[in-house]
Amino acid sequence: GKAEQASYDKYACWCEDTLGRKAKDISTGKEQIDELNALAVKLKAEIASHGAEIQQTTKDLAANVEARREATEIRDKEHGEYVDEKTEAEQCSGALEAAVKVLSGAGAKRGFLETMQEAQLLSVVAGVKTVLRRPAASRALSAKDYGAVQRFVERPADFFC
């Protein structure tokens, strides 16, 4: 009797303790399930939000790359145009200076022009003709100088004998 009763009481006590612990573990587990489900929903929302941010950033990056490419293309084109205009202006200026130099000395050296000077004069005339076709030429000279250069190109023989 007594030993069996003590053994049964010990077993019953163990069952009650274990049952209490298991009930507490089940209750804690249910609470954790709710917390973890809420956390999972929250993290899924953050993943979706970050996915949208990544897509937008990718689009922005592509737009930036395209804008840089277009800007570089425009700068390269404008630089090329600048170089062309600069070269043309320098050529115009040089040809016009040469024409003015020849014209200013034409009356004094009219009788002394040799074959080399005549060839040089005709070369200047050819260059000046090319320059006069460009819009920059009329802007570079006064009306009086432009008229003299025009007369020189049309009748270079009047400027030497």
Side-chain angles (χ1 to χ4, degrees):
K2 281 189 176 191
E4 292 166 348
Q5 185 64 41
S7 192
Y8 175 78
D9 289 341
K10 185 177 174 184
Y11 176 72
C13 188
W14 178 84
C15 284
E16 285 180 25
D17 289 344
T18 301
L19 187 61
R21 274 183 297 152
K22 295 301 175 189
K24 182 181 176 196
D25 289 345
I26 289 171
S27 176
T28 303
K30 285 182 180 180
E31 289 174 8
Q32 285 181 333
I33 288 173
D34 291 340
E35 291 172 5
L36 293 174
N37 281 336
L39 180 61
V41 169
K42 177 184 172 194
L43 292 177
K44 283 181 183 179
E46 287 182 15
I47 287 172
S49 172
H50 292 310
E53 289 174 4
I54 289 170
Q55 286 180 342
Q56 185 59 44
T57 302
T58 302
K59 287 179 186 176
D60 291 347
L61 180 63
N64 184 292
V65 167
E66 179 62 19
R68 278 191 355 238
R69 185 195 63 75
E70 289 174 3
T72 299
E73 191 176 288
I74 290 169
R75 280 192 304 274
D76 290 346
K77 180 183 174 200
E78 288 175 349
H79 176 70
E81 290 171 356
Y82 165 76
V83 169
D84 291 346
E85 288 178 14
K86 178 183 173 197
T87 302
E88 181 181 342
E90 288 171 350
Q91 289 173 347
C92 288
S93 177
L96 293 172
E97 285 176 11
V100 169
K101 181 178 177 183
V102 168
L103 290 173
S104 65
K109 297 181 181 180
R110 188 174 286 185
F112 301 103
L113 288 179
E114 297 176 357
T115 305
M116 272 311 256
Q117 290 173 323
E118 289 179 27
Q120 184 180 14
L121 182 66
L122 293 176
S123 173
V124 168
V125 167
V128 171
K129 278 183 181 179
T130 302
V131 169
L132 287 179
R133 290 187 203 117
R134 298 179 181 158
S138 62
R139 294 188 303 255
L141 294 173
S142 68
K144 179 182 175 185
D145 287 344
Y146 188 79
V149 171
Q150 279 282 56
R151 284 191 307 280
F152 170 69
V153 168
E154 291 169 2
R155 298 188 56 128
D158 291 351
F159 292 87
F160 66 92
C161 291

